[in-house]
Amino acid sequence: LSTSRRRQKSRRRKRRQRSASLGLRARRPAVPEVRRLPKEDARRRTRRALLSRMPAPSAIRKVIEILKREFPGKGAVELDRAEDVLLATVLSARTRDEQVLKVYPKLRKRFSTLALIAKASATSIAAAINEIGLYRSKAKSLKGIATALLRDHDGEVPDTMEALIALPGVGRKTANCVLCYAFKKPAIAVDTHV
C-alpha cells in the first residue's frame, strides 16, 4: 500500500477505536431505496420482447427435419439397449465420453451378459475398465447393479426413477439419462453430457 493509503487506514482505525471507547456506533453508509416496482412487470416486458423475436413452431420443425436429414443415424454415445445406457452412464461419471467409448466395448466383450458381470469379481471388472478414472469404485457399482437387476428386476432395467435410484452407484443424473435415452421418457439429466 502507498503511504497515503496507510495513513488513511490508520486514521479510520483510530476514529473507530475512539468512537468505540466513547460507546458510539460506527456510521454506516445509507442504503439506497429499493425500487418498489413489482418484479412481474419487469419480467413481463422482457418476455414480450423475447417472444416477438422467437421463430414460429413451423420454422423450428423445418430446422429439426433438416438436421435429421443432414445428420442421419445415431450419435457417438447413443446405445440401443437400456442395460447398455445404464452401464455406460455409470462409467461416464467424471470421465470423458471418448474414454467411455473406448472402454465400454472391451467391457462388453469380456462380460457380455449381466450374469457374467454379477458373477465376476470386482477386481476382474476393474481390470477391464482400468483406463478410466475411479475404475475400482465403478467396478463395484457395475457388479452391484448387475446383481440387483438379476435379483430384483429379472435382469431388466427398471423404467422408474425410484427403482433406478435404488440400484447401487446410480444417482438422479444416471437415472435421468436412462429414462431419457433408453425409455424416451421426459427427463432432464443436468450434466456436461446433456
Side-chain angles (χ1 to χ4, degrees):
L1 291 173
S2 67
T3 311
S4 61
R5 288 259 172 137
R6 275 191 232 135
R7 284 183 191 147
Q8 285 177 349
K9 280 191 164 190
S10 175
R11 285 186 205 130
R12 283 189 205 129
R13 195 177 320 113
K14 286 178 184 175
R15 268 191 238 127
R16 272 189 249 122
Q17 289 170 349
R18 210 176 312 125
S19 59
S21 67
L22 296 173
L24 301 173
R25 286 190 195 168
R27 268 183 147 180
R28 291 188 181 184
V31 178
E33 278 284 322
V34 178
R35 284 180 49 186
R36 297 291 178 205
L37 292 175
K39 290 180 183 176
E40 178 72 19
D41 291 344
R43 288 183 188 150
R44 188 176 297 147
R45 272 186 265 127
T46 306
R47 272 196 308 256
R48 281 190 190 142
L50 287 174
L51 287 173
S52 65
R53 291 181 292 196
M54 283 185 65
S58 60
I60 294 171
R61 280 191 215 98
K62 282 182 186 176
V63 169
I64 291 171
E65 289 302 317
I66 291 169
L67 288 172
K68 282 182 181 177
R69 230 183 0 250
E70 292 295 319
F71 301 100
K74 295 191 295 184
V77 189
E78 289 182 47
L79 301 166
D80 294 327
R81 299 180 310 162
E83 177 184 313
D84 292 331
V85 173
L86 175 61
L87 297 178
T89 306
V90 169
L91 290 177
S92 74
R94 310 275 303 167
T95 304
R96 296 184 60 86
D97 289 341
E98 294 82 16
Q99 281 300 110
V100 173
L101 292 174
K102 284 182 194 173
V103 169
Y104 190 71
K106 294 176 191 175
L107 174 74
R108 291 311 280 199
K109 186 178 270 187
R110 190 161 172 193
F111 305 103
S112 56
T113 64
L114 284 176
L116 289 174
I117 295 173
K119 288 178 188 172
S121 68
T123 311
S124 62
I125 298 170
I129 61 170
N130 66 359
E131 296 173 33
I132 60 174
L134 306 170
Y135 64 93
R136 288 184 190 96
S137 63
K138 290 176 184 179
K140 290 176 190 170
S141 293
L142 292 179
K143 181 175 175 58
I145 288 169
T147 304
L149 287 176
L150 291 169
R151 182 186 61 228
D152 302 333
H153 302 284
D154 299 323
E156 295 295 318
V157 177
D159 63 349
T160 64
M161 175 69 79
E162 294 77 23
L164 286 167
I165 290 176
L167 297 172
V170 177
R172 291 190 68 81
K173 174 247 172 185
T174 301
N176 277 323
C177 282
V178 172
L179 290 174
C180 180
Y181 298 120
F183 297 110
K184 308 297 183 219
K185 289 189 172 186
I188 298 173
V190 180
D191 194 8
T192 59
H193 299 88
V194 178

